[in-house]
Amino acid sequence: MKFFLDTANVEEIKRINDLGLVDGITTNPTLISKEGKDFETVIKEICSIVDGPVSAEVIALDYEGMVEEARQVAKWADNIVVKIPMTEAGLKAVNTLSQEGIKTNVTLIFSVAQGLLAAKAGATYISPFIGRIDDMGEDGMELIADLRMVLDNYALDAEIIAASIRHIGHFEATALAGADIATVPGSLFPKLWSHPLTDKGIDGFLKDWEAFQNKQNK
Ligand code: G3P
C-alpha cells in the first residue's frame, strides 16, 4: 500500500518525507485555505519537495471551467494530479482530460456506482471518503472492499485512494480491504509509529541499563 499525506502543510510534509514514507500528497480547498498562501505557491512548493503525485483540486463546477483550470494547474509541475469532484460535469471533464494525458483524482466518492463511473471515465485515482461515510452511521470500509472487487473484476486501471481517514483503525482496515493508497492527515501520521508499550519498553530497558552501570561502577 502506498502512503499519501492529506495535507498542504509544508512542515508536516518535510518531516514525514524525510522518513522516506511519502509516496504522494492530496490536498483540497479546505487544506489549502489553512496555509494562508496562494494556491499556486503552495502546490509548487509541495511539488518541489515530493517526487510522487500531488493532487490539486479545481474550484470550477462547470465542465468548461474545470477543464480550463485543470489544464493550467497541470502545467505547474510534472507530478500534478488534478482533483475533480464527482459530478456529471466532473465525469465529462475527466474523460476529456484523460484523453489529453492529464492525470485526475475523482473526489467525494460515496458509492460503488460513483467509483465505477469515475474509473470508466478515465480517472487515474478515485477517492472514497470513509470517515464521512462512518459519520452517516454506515461502514466506509465496506465501500473500499467493494470498490476493490469491482475494479479487479473489470480490470479497470484506476487506483483507490482511501480518503477521510480519521484514526489508526481506519488506516489498518484500509490496508486489509485492499486500497492501493491511504491518504493520511499530517496530524495522524506520527500516531501510526507510536505505541505506549514501545515507550514503556524503551523506558524499562534504559532504567535496567542504568541500574547495571551503577552496580558496575561501585
Ligand atoms: O482526503 C479527504 C479529506 O481531506 C477529508 O477528510 O476528515 O474532512 O472527512 P475529512
Side-chain angles (χ1 to χ4, degrees):
M1 184 167 69
K2 285 176 268 187
F3 301 159
F4 285 10
L5 273 184
D6 193 35
T7 182
N9 185 281
V10 168
E11 294 317 311
E12 280 179 344
I13 292 171
K14 281 183 181 160
R15 176 183 176 194
I16 298 160
N17 194 44
D18 282 348
L19 305 179
L21 289 173
V22 178
D23 297 306
I25 302 291
T26 52
T27 68
N28 59 41
T30 304
L31 294 171
I32 296 285
S33 64
K34 284 183 188 163
E35 296 310 306
K37 299 180 222 166
D38 80 278
F39 185 29
E40 184 171 347
T41 306
V42 178
I43 293 295
K44 283 183 172 170
E45 198 177 354
I46 295 171
C47 287
S48 72
I49 300 166
V50 174
D51 292 332
V54 175
S55 286
E57 188 159 342
V58 295
I59 301 302
L61 290 178
D62 61 302
Y63 164 76
E64 285 82 9
M66 278 193 239
V67 169
E68 196 182 317
E69 234 183 280
R71 287 178 183 142
Q72 287 308 314
V73 170
K75 284 184 198 153
W76 292 347
D78 291 341
N79 50 340
I80 293 277
V81 172
V82 182
K83 215 168 175 188
I84 304 278
M86 175 64 217
T87 59
E88 180 182 351
L91 290 173
K92 192 173 167 186
V94 166
N95 180 37
T96 301
L97 296 167
S98 71
Q99 289 172 44
E100 294 177 14
I102 295 177
K103 291 187 175 160
T104 54
N105 172 2
V106 177
T107 188
L108 293 162
I109 301 266
F110 292 95
S111 71
V112 172
Q114 288 182 319
L116 181 54
L117 261 56
K120 287 270 287 180
T124 319
Y125 302 97
I126 56 172
S127 290
F129 273 37
I130 57 180
R132 293 191 193 189
I133 294 175
D134 287 0
D135 290 346
M136 303 285 289
E138 291 165 30
D139 183 3
M141 218 47 68
E142 202 176 303
L143 178 58
I144 302 288
D146 289 349
L147 282 169
R148 177 72 285 146
M149 202 189 302
V150 169
L151 295 191
D152 289 349
N153 280 350
Y154 300 106
L156 291 161
D157 289 334
E159 290 190 69
I160 301 169
I161 303 180
S164 183
I165 287 182
R166 305 268 176 78
H167 50 71
I168 299 174
H170 272 154
F171 175 78
E172 292 177 346
T174 285
L176 291 168
D180 298 285
I181 298 147
T183 191
V184 182
S187 54
L188 175 62
F189 211 100
K191 295 184 183 149
L192 301 181
W193 67 63
S194 3
H195 196 287
L197 289 179
T198 307
D199 298 340
K200 197 177 164 197
I202 292 171
D203 203 40
F205 290 153
L206 286 181
K207 277 191 181 131
D208 290 344
W209 185 252
E210 273 170 34
F212 173 60
Q213 297 298 308
N214 289 339
K215 214 168 160 186
Q216 275 195 325
N217 293 335
K218 269 185 186 163

